[in-house]
Amino acid sequence: MIKCIIIDDEPLALEVLEHFINRTPQLELVAKCANAIEAFKALHDQQVDLMFLDIKMPGISGLDFVASLKNPPAIIFTTAFAEHAVKGFELDAVDYLLKPITYERFEKSINKMLKVWQPEKEAPKDYTYFKVSGRLVKIQHAELLYAQSVKDYILICTKTGNHLVHMTMKYLSELMPSPAFLRVHRSYLVNRSLINLVDKNSILVGNERIPVGENYRDNLEKIG
């Protein structure tokens, strides 16, 4: 979904664009702004991928507003004044819509946006926080050797020390990224990249030999 905001001082223009956005499945309207000051706050408070921006507004114009932004989102200018089009494209606008805007013309702009839009992918986390004795401890995945179930607790064994946390092995298995961490026994979860040796009934992680449960032997095929 492309998260967008409308910036326009005309209530009717806001209403028309909101209607068009709601008709378009690829778009999600996250804010409506009557001026640049409200738009500044919207950009600060949430992710915005696309602005529908009127050019002629009281106070700060749409063109001056864009020029003031360090990293503006994509822009589709909306205005009743065709003479601003050249300046709008100089600011790398996706498109320039002349009022009154039809849905057919609006749809063409969105198709242009979809051709250039590349959503940011969040980098996978390389750490997990665990609650240990009432404190949150950050453990890097590369440091975590294995985890062992001990009654109602999990012993988290790392290269620098061990931590006892209150959780189930099932919850831990769902919490840790797969396939980086493998369940090899009902009581053990191991860091796949730190397995040094594999045989029929056990594996070696660091200096610790860990049993392989009969129901988890298929997981050994993921090692490699």
Side-chain angles (χ1 to χ4, degrees):
M1 296 285 282
I2 298 174
K3 297 181 182 296
C4 53
I5 62 173
I6 308 168
I7 309 163
D8 202 309
D9 63 316
E10 299 176 12
L12 180 59
L14 287 171
E15 184 179 329
V16 168
L17 285 170
E18 180 179 13
H19 176 63
F20 288 172
I21 289 168
N22 289 337
R23 281 183 62 182
T24 309
Q26 298 93 337
L27 303 183
E28 178 186 356
L29 181 63
V30 295
K32 294 186 294 182
C33 309
N35 53 56
I37 294 173
E38 291 181 11
F40 270 120
K41 185 176 186 306
L43 292 175
H44 180 268
D45 289 347
Q46 60 209 315
Q47 176 190 334
V48 175
D49 304 309
L50 173 64
M51 297 189 296
F52 292 94
L53 177 61
D54 187 21
I55 289 180
K56 194 170 182 179
M57 295 186 294
I60 303 173
S61 73
L63 296 175
D64 290 338
F65 173 63
V66 173
S68 72
L69 299 177
K70 189 173 182 181
N71 295 301
I75 307 156
I76 294 176
F77 283 114
T78 61
T79 185
F81 302 93
E83 61 267 25
H84 294 302
V86 173
K87 184 63 177 176
F89 284 117
E90 285 177 358
L91 293 171
D92 295 326
V94 172
D95 206 351
Y96 183 99
L97 295 175
L98 192 62
K99 298 176 181 177
I101 304 166
T102 65
Y103 183 72
E104 289 72 24
R105 183 63 183 86
F106 175 89
E107 200 171 26
K108 286 183 179 179
S109 286
I110 301 309
N111 288 335
K112 290 178 69 174
M113 174 65 184
L114 291 171
K115 288 178 182 178
V116 300
W117 184 59
Q118 294 182 335
E120 293 183 9
K121 294 183 179 179
E122 187 176 337
K125 289 194 305 180
D126 59 357
Y127 61 88
T128 297
Y129 280 98
F130 292 95
K131 192 171 184 180
V132 181
S133 300
R135 296 178 300 119
L136 286 176
V137 177
K138 183 179 181 179
I139 296 179
Q140 298 289 336
H141 293 164
E143 296 291 309
L144 201 162
L145 297 166
Y146 64 93
Q148 180 183 2
S149 176
V150 183
K151 293 186 178 179
D152 295 332
Y153 292 84
I154 298 292
L155 183 66
I156 304 291
C157 301
T158 76
K159 293 178 181 179
T160 55
N162 300 335
H163 306 277
L164 197 63
V165 299
H166 189 270
M167 66 171 57
T168 65
M169 181 58 75
K170 182 178 185 297
Y171 179 79
L172 179 65
S173 299
E174 295 170 352
L175 179 67
M176 301 306 292
S178 174
F181 288 85
L182 295 176
R183 189 88 176 266
V184 296
H185 189 279
R186 65 190 302 270
S187 298
Y188 286 92
L189 182 79
V190 303
N191 188 333
R192 185 176 73 163
S193 66
L194 298 179
I195 295 174
N196 297 322
L197 184 145
V198 179
D199 60 33
K200 185 177 180 181
N201 298 310
S202 67
I203 59 174
L204 194 66
V205 179
N207 295 319
E208 188 73 20
R209 188 166 289 277
I210 292 171
V212 174
E214 186 174 347
N215 293 334
Y216 298 89
R217 293 191 194 282
D218 289 347
N219 286 350
L220 295 180
E221 296 178 3
K222 300 176 184 179
I223 299 171

